[in-house]
């Protein structure tokens, strides 16, 4: 098959994963800040961070899709189809790393250990999520659904 979907799949996958990373990072940081400020247990802080990562990831996708003229409900369906697997993989990897790095979750927001572990976790999650997005885009799934609304 020689269509642009296959020819540009690494580029599209990297772009989709960067998009996912942006939403995940915003949600992760905000969740960690809120969880720490409220004195929540680590599990509750992670749950909040994951929920916010999904919210911000979907919102970033919807913003672009809504600009293409899609109604809110249709844009939400595109965002769910485009981002759910990518965000889930990224969240499993980055939160898994945060949990296994000794002291990272308890280090606090003022700690280099916390921020270093989070940056490392997000970087590893990015690297591991790119091939997932490539596989999905190559099959017309994931962010291929978004690109259909941008004229790509």
């Amino acid at each position: 098959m020689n269509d642009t979907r296959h020819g540009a799949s690494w580029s599209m996958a990297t772009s989709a994963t960067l998009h996912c990373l942006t939403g995940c990072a915003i949600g992760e940081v905000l969740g960690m800040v809120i969880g720490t400020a409220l004195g929540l247990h680590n599990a509750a802080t992670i749950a909040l961070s994951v929920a916010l990562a999904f919210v911000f990831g979907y919102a970033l996708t919807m913003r672009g899709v809504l600009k293409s003229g899609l109604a809110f409900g249709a844009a939400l369906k595109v965002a769910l189809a485009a981002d759910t697997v990518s965000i889930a993989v990224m969240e499993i990897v980055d939160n898994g790393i945060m949990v296994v790095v000794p002291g990272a979750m308890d280090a606090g927001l003022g700690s280099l250990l916390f921020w270093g572990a989070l940056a490392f976790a997000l970087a590893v999650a990015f690297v591991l999520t790119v091939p997932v997005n490539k596989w999905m885009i190559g099959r017309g799934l994931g962010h291929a659904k978004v690109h259909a609304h941008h004229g790509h």
Side-chain angles (χ1 to χ4, degrees):
M1 206 180 251
N2 191 16
D3 64 10
T4 57
R5 189 176 69 211
H6 290 282
S9 60
W10 280 112
S11 174
M12 289 173 70
T14 300
S15 176
T17 308
L18 281 170
H19 175 269
C20 178
L21 178 66
T22 302
C24 287
I26 293 168
E28 287 286 323
V29 171
L30 187 58
M32 294 291 176
V33 168
I34 292 170
T36 299
L38 296 177
L40 299 178
H41 184 272
N42 287 346
T45 299
I46 289 172
L48 177 61
S49 294
V50 169
L52 290 173
F54 275 94
V55 167
F56 280 95
Y58 291 146
L60 289 174
T61 295
M62 286 185 63
R63 189 178 120 236
V65 175
L66 287 168
K67 286 182 181 179
S68 75
L70 237 54
F72 183 86
L76 179 59
K77 287 179 184 177
V78 169
L80 292 172
D83 291 334
T84 300
V85 171
S86 181
I87 295 171
V89 170
M90 190 161 284
E91 288 302 300
I92 289 167
V93 172
D94 79 63
N95 283 294
I97 291 171
M98 287 298 292
V99 168
V100 300
V101 170
M105 287 297 297
D106 296 320
L109 298 174
S111 167
L112 184 58
L113 173 61
F114 171 81
W115 292 106
L118 183 58
F120 175 73
L122 288 169
V124 171
F126 174 81
V127 169
L128 295 177
T129 305
V130 170
V132 172
N133 281 324
K134 181 187 181 299
W135 182 86
M136 291 177 59
I137 290 167
R139 283 151 187 76
L141 304 170
H143 264 258
K145 302 287 186 189
V146 173
H147 290 279
H149 297 284
H150 291 296
H152 293 205

